[in-house]
Amino acid sequence: MPGGGARAPAAPPAALNTPAARRRPGARRRALLHAALGAFGLAALAALIRHVGLAEMLAAVSRAAPFLPFLIALEAARIGCEAIATAVLCAPRRVPAAELLRIHVVSYPVMALMPAGRAAGEAVKAALLSPHVGAPRAAAIATANQSLALLAAAPLSFLAAAALFRVGGGASPLALGVLAHAALLVVSGLGVAFAARQRAASAWLTRRFARAGQLTAAFQEAVRERPPVPAWPFAACVAGRALQAAQYAVLLAAVGAESGPLRALAAYGVGAAGTAAGDLIPGQIGATDGAFTLAASLLGLTASSAIAISLLLHLLQAAFALAGIAATLAWRRSPPAR
């Protein structure tokens, strides 16, 4: 070796060879990708606002101020529907209602603002539920919630596609896209539900939601305690999606557009398409805004009103996300019942 008596480099510490250490470069790349996508979304939103005119867009937003209490109430009720679904999935264990509400409020910022936030939010719920129901059952509940979130969105998306066909007078690319998205929701929701019953897939799900690779057998036992699509949690999740469609009816009325059930479902479909397209963008900033701008004429909106709707949605999510962050800091966890 050069240098005569130079010694061979010491082997790297064992900690550097752990799976977590090997995943760090990938995690950094994902963080950079998400940051880049977020910056792109913000730039796209700024360009859209500049195109339609800031003053005109702000005027459309300010006209919607009297409708904000209705939007807040509907969003709170939607979160309540998800909490009800989780409560039913927790049976036969009983988690206090206040704790279930805290768990859903605390996980809201992750779901609303993180890239691919639903899965990340369910992982947070599982971590918070595990002291009450145990890690395997908490992971099973998170998996069921993930599946139900996909499946419950499908009926509304099918109705939204039909509304877009009707409003657009035929098979527009947007209507076909929403229809394809609805079909994909069914396939992916059922895929998650049935994959949890397979040992290889359940090992991956356990690592994701319980952060423990030795719980596969207990996880599968917990999963098999209920049918792949449990009826009452599914109904609660569908009710939550219906409340989301009602939000679009309020938003359309807030900007002075026609807001009947047909238009509300069509707007829901546009929002779902934008959310799906921007799933990896934090908060879907720019994606939902672009979707509403492109569909403005179809929904009977001006460009400024279309962006106002998407901005109001972002503001609503931001308000609840801030409430979730405050709850994380101030709302103490109730001790599990012994």
Side-chain angles (χ1 to χ4, degrees):
M1 293 181 63
R7 300 171 66 183
L16 298 181
N17 283 327
T18 61
R22 290 194 294 271
R23 284 197 296 267
R24 283 174 196 153
R28 283 196 293 268
R29 285 194 293 271
R30 285 194 297 272
L32 289 172
L33 174 62
H34 294 156
L37 289 171
F40 174 79
L42 287 171
L45 176 59
L48 288 171
I49 293 173
R50 182 178 179 183
H51 176 71
V52 302
L54 179 61
E56 187 178 355
M57 189 272 304
L58 288 177
V61 170
S62 64
R63 286 195 300 270
F67 294 84
L68 289 177
F70 298 101
L71 293 172
I72 291 170
L74 286 168
E75 186 68 3
R78 189 191 66 76
I79 296 170
C81 287
E82 293 197 354
I84 290 171
T86 301
V88 177
L89 290 170
C90 286
R93 301 287 182 88
R94 185 182 179 276
V95 181
E99 179 63 8
L100 278 172
L101 180 59
R102 186 189 79 89
I103 287 169
H104 283 77
V105 170
V106 166
S107 64
Y108 187 99
V110 178
M111 290 196 176
L113 304 179
M114 288 284 289
R118 168 58 69 171
E122 294 301 343
V124 171
K125 287 183 194 177
L128 296 174
L129 276 173
S130 59
H132 298 272
V133 301
R137 187 181 296 274
I141 292 168
T143 304
N145 273 332
Q146 178 74 41
S147 171
L148 291 170
L150 295 166
L151 290 171
L156 271 294
S157 291
F158 279 119
L159 290 174
L164 287 166
F165 273 99
R166 182 71 179 272
V167 169
S172 65
L174 179 58
L176 292 173
V178 173
L179 182 61
H181 178 243
L184 182 61
L185 287 170
V186 174
V187 172
S188 54
L190 291 175
V192 171
F194 284 97
R197 285 165 158 71
Q198 309 303 315
R199 181 168 294 276
S202 65
W204 182 86
L205 289 166
T206 304
R207 287 195 300 271
R208 183 173 187 84
F209 291 129
R211 300 183 184 278
Q214 306 300 319
L215 301 176
T216 303
F219 168 78
Q220 284 207 318
E221 182 180 346
V223 165
R224 292 175 186 276
E225 289 178 355
R226 60 181 62 86
V229 185
W232 286 111
F234 175 73
C237 290
V238 171
R241 291 293 180 171
L243 290 169
Q244 199 170 22
Q247 285 181 330
Y248 284 103
V250 173
L251 287 165
L252 288 169
V255 298
E258 184 181 341
S259 61
L262 198 66
R263 297 278 177 177
L265 283 169
Y268 173 90
V270 173
T275 300
D279 191 43
L280 294 180
I281 300 174
Q284 291 80 51
I285 299 291
T288 51
D289 312 275
F292 274 100
T293 303
L294 290 173
S297 60
L298 188 65
L299 298 174
L301 300 170
T302 63
S304 59
S305 294
I307 294 182
I309 285 177
S310 62
L311 279 179
L312 285 166
L313 287 171
H314 293 318
L315 290 173
L316 183 67
Q317 287 185 336
F320 273 83
L322 287 173
I325 293 169
T328 304
L329 299 174
W331 194 345
R332 292 172 178 260
R333 178 177 67 82
S334 61
R338 295 293 180 184

